[in-house]
Amino acid sequence: MQSIKTKLKVNNYQKTILAKHAGVARHAYNWGLATCIKEYEETKKRPSAITLHKRLVAEVKSVNPWYYDVSKCAPQQALRDLERAFKNFLTIPGRGFPKFKKKGRKDSFYLEGSIKIFQGNYIQLPRIGIVKTYEILPSYRVKNVTIASFRGASLTKKADSWYISFKYNFEPDSTEKVGGTIGVDIGINTLATCSDGSKFANVKAYRQAKKRLIRHQRAVSKKVIGSKNRIKAVKKLAKVHKKVADIRADALHKLTTWLAKNHSTIVIEV
């Protein structure tokens, strides 16, 4: 079993549809949490996800027609996630009580059904249609996907982007390793120096983006807190932070991929 997570290349219309799905999922989760709290206070019992979904269809969807604009999988899975959150709270030490979700904070939803990958980087999703991705997707059967947006919670979050993730059955081909054991020294001037003499350069993404970061940070500080111009400035700053993070992640991915493909044992100095 393999998993993949990649960014979606969406237009404004598709962003609106994705935001609707995430909004319905969030509304169903918060409604379910409020209902569970109220039921427990009155009866000392908590309704199951199945019971909550039946009540959702009868009490909520009938008065909120915008529920019918999205896939039914989004609110269903949100209630399942709520039930799992309660179980984790009761069984896992230190796990906190489920919290109400806020708009713009880790918005996500679940889809299943008629999902098809074609032409490498296109995926067809129920109720959403054909969406393009930035990376080539594996040509395997996909049963369900999770789509999430990370924006605005902090400057280190991904800036106004939608990501899709899913699992698929994968049978790896047995490949013979070129080398045996290799030692890796993580450094400052170089990203890594290997015992066979191989060196991987440090990309220094932050240093290259430092002037832009300073400029955008000053722009944010000059804007009035709570204003629309400040929100725009924060988004611009977040995009620069995201680019720095992506460059670093790409360099680490290339290094670890090369090590894993060519060596059977990897020893890292700590």
Side-chain angles (χ1 to χ4, degrees):
M1 185 71 73
Q2 287 273 59
S3 62
I4 184 173
K5 181 178 181 180
T6 185
K7 184 179 177 181
L8 294 174
K9 192 173 184 178
V10 293
N11 54 35
N12 290 332
Y13 174 74
Q14 291 171 330
K15 284 183 179 180
T16 301
I17 297 177
L18 297 175
K20 281 185 177 181
H21 278 76
V24 169
R26 181 177 62 253
H27 185 273
Y29 185 96
N30 290 340
W31 171 86
L33 179 55
T35 302
C36 287
I37 294 174
K38 183 179 179 181
E39 286 282 326
Y40 186 80
E41 290 175 349
E42 294 176 354
T43 64
K44 301 301 179 182
K45 293 182 180 181
R46 178 178 57 84
S48 66
I50 297 176
T51 302
L52 284 174
H53 184 254
K54 291 179 180 179
R55 291 182 58 179
L56 181 80
V57 173
E59 301 173 13
V60 180
K61 292 185 72 172
S62 58
V63 296
N64 295 299
W66 35 270
Y67 260 77
Y68 295 97
D69 294 338
V70 305
S71 171
K72 63 180 181 181
C73 299
Q76 282 180 349
Q77 185 62 35
L79 296 177
R80 295 191 196 105
D81 292 340
L82 175 63
E83 185 172 54
R84 185 172 64 253
F86 271 112
K87 289 182 179 178
N88 291 340
F89 167 67
L90 296 173
T91 58
I92 301 177
R95 186 62 62 93
F97 189 83
K99 296 180 180 179
F100 289 97
K101 294 188 175 184
K102 296 181 180 180
K103 184 178 180 180
R105 297 288 183 93
K106 297 182 180 180
D107 289 335
S108 65
F109 62 93
Y110 170 94
L111 289 175
E112 64 181 19
S114 179
I115 301 173
K116 183 181 179 181
I117 295 173
F118 57 96
Q119 294 183 11
N121 62 335
Y122 288 88
I123 183 168
Q124 184 172 355
L125 302 171
R127 301 299 297 268
I128 294 175
I130 298 173
V131 184
K132 189 177 181 180
T133 63
Y134 282 91
E135 297 181 47
I136 300 298
L137 300 175
S139 300
Y140 291 90
R141 183 171 177 266
V142 179
K143 296 182 179 179
N144 53 68
V145 299
T146 299
I147 299 176
S149 173
F150 301 91
R151 40 187 173 136
S154 69
L155 295 181
T156 58
K157 295 292 184 182
K158 298 180 179 63
D160 196 21
S161 303
W162 289 94
Y163 291 78
I164 187 170
S165 59
F166 56 85
K167 294 181 180 180
Y168 58 95
N169 291 323
F170 173 72
E171 294 293 338
D173 297 330
S174 58
T175 57
E176 185 178 351
K177 305 292 184 181
V178 176
T181 302
I182 187 172
V184 183
D185 180 20
I186 305 299
I188 298 176
N189 295 326
T190 59
L191 177 62
T193 302
C194 302
S195 58
D196 64 352
S198 302
K199 292 185 179 181
F200 290 82
N202 196 333
V203 291
K204 298 180 181 180
Y206 178 79
R207 182 180 297 180
Q208 295 174 357
K210 190 174 182 179
K211 290 184 179 179
R212 282 180 294 158
L213 287 170
I214 293 174
R215 184 172 69 251
H216 287 297
Q217 285 169 347
R218 285 176 178 171
V220 171
S221 65
K222 292 179 181 179
K223 301 295 186 295
V224 178
I225 296 177
S227 65
K228 291 184 178 179
N229 285 334
R230 182 181 173 86
I231 294 174
K232 292 179 182 178
V234 168
K235 284 186 176 181
K236 290 180 180 179
L237 177 58
K239 287 181 179 179
V240 181
H241 275 288
K242 178 183 178 296
K243 187 172 183 179
V244 172
D246 286 347
I247 293 173
R248 288 174 172 172
D250 180 67
L252 288 173
H253 178 69
K254 289 177 179 177
L255 169 60
T256 54
T257 300
W258 178 80
L259 290 171
K261 283 185 176 180
N262 297 287
H263 301 87
S264 57
T265 305
I266 302 168
V267 180
I268 300 177
E269 181 182 358
V270 295

